[in-house]
């Protein structure tokens, strides 16, 4: 889900996006404790969005909605969960920037249209939302939020016919971008995935109830069994008669997000055809050790994102692994902090080196990615100056991040991505490491099964889903 916001340098009719969007979704049909399960599902998916969350339930007669800013466990008190009766529910975790931090943008979005009430939860970004919104507003649509997901709701309302599925399909044919969607009305749960399958989405089962969610870690928490992934372009309709699958959108080329494997999904999850994220990350680490070996005494991860790759690096190189940096788990991901000054401070409050381990050692530090380079710089400095390491060798288990994501991963503009404007040697100097190496794109291809089915635009600028009427540069200007 991506957001639209007005700005003094753009007319209100031409709002522009704020790209910092990552989300988690969870839905359940036919369970006496639908809302409680959704709460647990969102809890397991908290890493996909920490800014706000919501649950919408149905008892077969009407929809009930509770949503708020904040973390799942803080929002959903027992009292609030009791206000969500029914045997079906959908939920959403949202991650966004300060500019868009408003309750009206928290999902599920609930609206009434000709065929009755509907709630929608969206993970992904719609790349033609500006154009669609402009057209809809010209036709008289009044938007309640600045969320691109609301565009889908309006498109469904504007579509023709008495068949809700047909209306949803008509609407989604106009939409370009990434969407894993859950839609709830009084009597059914509908799940749809974009034709490229950009964001993960899977189907599970617990106590005879169907569950649809972003990652399998949400299934695990509620003891649900994994059944299968929702296919790209597939629509699942789940109601009292059971489950039906409809080929809603033609899928020509899959474009699963490679960054889900690298950073975003939880390591215990199985995504994109039941591939374990932890295993893939460990393989990335092994590959990195083969591609960029270095003589050293110790391999340490940047916790938590670098842990599996560091273990793989250690296994492959035979160099001892240990936790040389300790993370304070009660601090949010530093990347979320909107202000540069806070982000700099954030690294220190989040990570502390273990001097006893590092003193006098030649240390290999493994992380999953470098974005702006600011965290890496702080970490290298900390390991050397506070930890007392003799040498610091930085190894990154992904290729240089040179392109922003327009499909639902929080990345800054191209100008802010250090690897888009600097050579590796320049980055090494900036982060003050003794050596720096990234994994190659070839290495990724070797490790990831069916790697041709992945979007790697952040590493190769090859964007699989086109942008309407705009050159990439123009679009990026809009994104700023
Ligand atoms: P930076 O200081 O900007 O280079 O940030 C690098 C750190 O950000 C690495 O430790 C990554 O694990 C982490 N990271 C990468 N992508 C994201 C993201 N989309 N959201 C939050 N953190 C991220």
């Amino acid at each position: 889900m991506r957001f639209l916001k007005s700005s003094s340098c753009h007319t209100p009719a031409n709002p522009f996006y704020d790209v910092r969007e990552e989300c988690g979704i969870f839905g359940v049909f036919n369970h006496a404790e639908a809302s409680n399960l959704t709460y647990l599902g969102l809890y397991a998916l908290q890493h996909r969005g920490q800014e706000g969350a919501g649950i919408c339930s149905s008892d077969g007669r009407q929809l009930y909605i509770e949503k708020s800013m904040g973390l799942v466990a803080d929002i959903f008190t027992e009292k609030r969960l009791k206000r969500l009766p029914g045997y079906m529910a959908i939920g959403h975790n949202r991650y966004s920037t300060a500019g868009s931090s408003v309750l009206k943008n928290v999902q599920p979005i609930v609206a009434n249209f000709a065929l009755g009430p509907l709630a929608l939860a969206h993970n992904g970004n719609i790349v033609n939302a500006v154009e669609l919104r402009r057209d809809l507003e010209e036709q008289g649509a009044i938007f309640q939020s600045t969320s691109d997901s609301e565009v889908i709701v309006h498109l469904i309302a504007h579509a023709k016919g008495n068949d809700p599925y047909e209306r949803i399909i008509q609407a989604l044919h106009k939409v370009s971008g990434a969407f894993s969607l859950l839609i709830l009305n009084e009597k059914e749960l509908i799940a749809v995935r974009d034709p490229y399958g950009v964001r993960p989405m899977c189907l599970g089962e617990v106590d005879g109830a169907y569950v649809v969610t972003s990652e399998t870690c949400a299934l695990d928490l509620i003891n649900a069994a994994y059944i299968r992934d929702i296919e790209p372009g597939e629509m699942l309709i789940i109601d009292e008669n059971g489950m039906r699958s409809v080929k809603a959108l033609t899928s020509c080329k899959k474009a699963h997000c490679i960054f889900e494997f690298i950073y975003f999904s939880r390591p215990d999850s199985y995504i994109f055809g039941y591939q374990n994220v932890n295993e893939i990350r460990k393989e990335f680490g092994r590959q990195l050790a083969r591609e960029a070996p270095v003589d050293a005494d110790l391999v340490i991860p940047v916790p938590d994102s670098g842990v599996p790759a560091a273990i793989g690096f250690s296994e492959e190189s035979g160099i001892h692994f240990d936790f040389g940096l300790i993370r304070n788990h009660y601090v949010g991901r530093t990347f979320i902090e909107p202000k540069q000054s806070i982000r700099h401070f954030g690294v220190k409050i989040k990570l502390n080196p273990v001097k006893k381990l590092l003193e006098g050692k030649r240390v290999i530090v493994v992380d999953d990615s470098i974005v702006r380079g600011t965290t890496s710089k702080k970490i290298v400095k900390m390991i050397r100056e506070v930890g007392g390491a003799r040498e610091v060798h930085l190894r990154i288990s992904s290729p240089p991040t040179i392109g922003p994501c327009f499909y639902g991963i929080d990345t800054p503009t191209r100008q802010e991505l250090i690897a888009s404007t600097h050579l590796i040697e320049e980055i090494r100097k900036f982060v003050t490491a003794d050596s720096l190496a990234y994994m190659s794109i070839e290495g990724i291809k070797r490790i990831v099964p069916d790697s041709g089915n992945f979007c790697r635009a952040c590493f190769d600028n090859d964007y699989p889903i086109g942008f309407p009427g705009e050159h990439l540069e123009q679009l990026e200007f809009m994104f700023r």
Side-chain angles (χ1 to χ4, degrees):
M1 155 189 90
R2 170 186 296 157
F3 287 79
L4 306 150
K5 65 182 178 188
S6 299
S7 144
S8 53
C9 60
H10 289 82
T11 64
N14 185 20
F16 64 94
Y17 300 108
D18 182 339
V19 290
R20 296 156 202 273
E21 286 312 318
E22 299 168 340
C23 306
I25 54 174
F26 184 95
V28 58
F29 186 92
N30 192 28
H31 200 287
E33 293 206 64
S35 299
N36 288 343
L37 291 187
T38 306
Y39 161 75
L40 290 171
L42 293 183
Y43 194 77
L45 296 172
Q46 189 74 83
H47 61 289
R48 297 186 73 87
Q50 300 89 32
E51 204 166 73
I55 298 177
C56 180
S57 70
S58 170
D59 55 8
R61 292 185 297 275
Q62 71 175 91
L63 299 184
Y64 304 84
I65 176 88
E66 290 288 331
K67 53 184 180 177
S68 222
M69 306 297 289
L71 296 174
V72 175
D74 299 330
I75 298 169
F76 293 103
T77 56
E78 230 179 305
K79 211 165 135 194
R80 267 194 126 158
L81 283 168
K82 281 209 175 95
R83 294 204 293 259
L84 292 165
Y87 56 94
M88 54 178 130
I90 61 172
H92 186 268
N93 276 339
R94 170 176 169 262
Y95 176 135
S96 176
T97 55
S100 307
S101 299
V102 279
L103 181 58
K104 67 182 180 188
N105 283 327
V106 177
Q107 299 191 23
I109 302 171
V110 180
N112 282 297
F113 73 118
L115 302 184
L118 164 155
L120 179 138
H122 171 211
N123 175 209
N125 279 19
I126 307 302
V127 296
N128 62 340
V130 167
E131 291 75 13
L132 291 172
R133 181 173 170 139
R134 198 183 289 141
D135 292 350
L136 286 159
E137 283 177 335
E138 274 167 17
Q139 291 165 45
I142 298 169
F143 279 77
Q144 301 288 326
S145 72
T146 54
S147 156
D148 69 331
S149 313
E150 196 186 343
V151 169
I152 303 174
V153 176
H154 281 274
L155 288 173
I156 296 170
H158 278 75
K160 305 270 178 289
N162 288 327
D163 178 344
Y165 325 117
E166 188 43 45
R167 279 189 180 228
I168 294 168
I169 294 170
Q170 272 179 44
L172 294 179
H173 269 114
K174 296 194 173 153
V175 166
S176 179
F179 50 89
S180 283
L181 278 184
L182 288 176
I183 296 172
L184 189 77
N185 62 33
E186 298 127 302
K187 303 220 178 288
E188 54 199 354
L189 170 65
I190 299 164
V192 201
R193 195 164 172 215
D194 69 68
Y196 299 87
V198 180
R199 298 281 143 234
M201 201 190 203
C202 64
L203 174 69
E205 188 266 324
V206 60
D207 306 331
Y210 284 118
V211 180
V212 184
T213 187
S214 303
E215 291 181 39
T216 57
C217 64
L219 299 180
D220 296 340
L221 184 58
I222 58 162
N223 283 328
Y226 168 86
I227 300 177
R228 66 175 177 84
D229 282 9
I230 315 299
E231 288 299 314
E234 181 181 15
M235 175 191 268
L236 278 185
I237 301 160
I238 309 173
D239 60 19
E240 59 187 16
N241 300 316
M243 187 176 72
R244 274 183 295 147
S245 165
V246 177
K247 186 87 197 119
L249 301 155
T250 313
S251 171
C252 27
K253 188 185 182 312
K254 288 182 188 161
H256 305 317
C257 170
I258 194 70
F259 219 71
E260 292 274 354
F261 272 145
I262 287 163
Y263 169 81
F264 199 41
S265 286
R266 251 172 61 162
D268 49 337
S269 285
Y270 292 72
I271 57 168
F272 301 142
Y274 213 63
Q275 297 294 324
N276 176 231
V277 176
N278 187 60
E279 228 7 81
I280 297 272
R281 285 184 192 163
K282 267 166 81 173
E283 286 300 331
F284 284 164
R286 288 190 190 109
Q287 176 68 18
L288 185 59
R290 288 190 289 270
E291 287 186 14
V294 55
D295 202 14
D297 309 308
L298 182 66
V299 176
I300 67 164
V302 175
D304 295 327
S305 55
V307 173
I311 292 172
F313 195 107
S314 161
E315 283 174 1
E316 183 69 26
S317 63
I319 301 171
H320 181 66
F321 170 95
D322 213 324
F323 286 98
L325 289 169
I326 299 303
R327 178 174 169 183
N328 180 338
H329 282 98
Y330 305 97
V331 181
R333 285 178 178 183
T334 57
F335 199 83
I336 300 161
E337 305 295 348
K339 288 199 194 89
Q340 193 79 354
S341 56
I342 300 175
R343 194 162 50 242
H344 280 253
F345 178 61
V347 177
K348 276 187 267 180
I349 56 170
K350 186 170 148 184
L351 295 172
N352 198 30
V354 183
K355 284 183 219 147
K356 179 93 180 137
L357 274 176
L358 302 173
E359 245 160 16
K361 301 260 177 61
R362 297 168 300 163
V363 180
I364 299 170
V365 185
V366 180
D367 202 358
D368 68 287
S369 57
I370 295 180
V371 184
R372 293 179 176 89
T374 46
T375 313
S376 309
K377 189 182 171 81
K378 293 275 170 194
I379 288 170
V380 171
K381 197 167 177 256
M382 192 186 266
I383 291 168
R384 204 191 299 277
E385 291 178 9
V386 184
R390 180 150 54 97
E391 289 173 20
V392 184
H393 301 276
L394 188 57
R395 293 294 177 271
I396 304 298
S397 62
S398 68
T401 305
I402 54 169
C405 178
F406 300 121
Y407 311 133
I409 293 285
D410 172 16
T411 34
T413 58
R414 189 181 304 277
Q415 288 72 23
E416 291 168 276
L417 292 171
I418 191 166
S420 83
T421 49
H422 293 77
L423 300 170
I424 293 178
E425 174 56 14
E426 291 170 335
I427 303 171
R428 182 199 67 76
K429 279 195 186 133
F430 175 76
V431 300
T432 70
D434 291 288
S435 75
L436 165 67
Y438 289 84
M439 194 162 75
S440 66
I441 291 187
E442 280 313 308
I444 289 231
K445 288 186 187 164
R446 201 159 299 153
I447 304 301
V448 175
D450 301 320
S451 67
N453 289 340
F454 280 77
C455 169
R456 293 185 301 263
C458 48
F459 305 134
D460 62 10
N461 277 323
D462 186 2
Y463 289 89
I465 310 176
F467 307 100
E470 316 274 358
H471 292 297
L472 196 56
E473 286 71 23
Q474 283 174 297
L475 196 82
E476 275 182 41
F477 174 73
M478 290 165 67
F479 273 88
R480 298 180 75 183

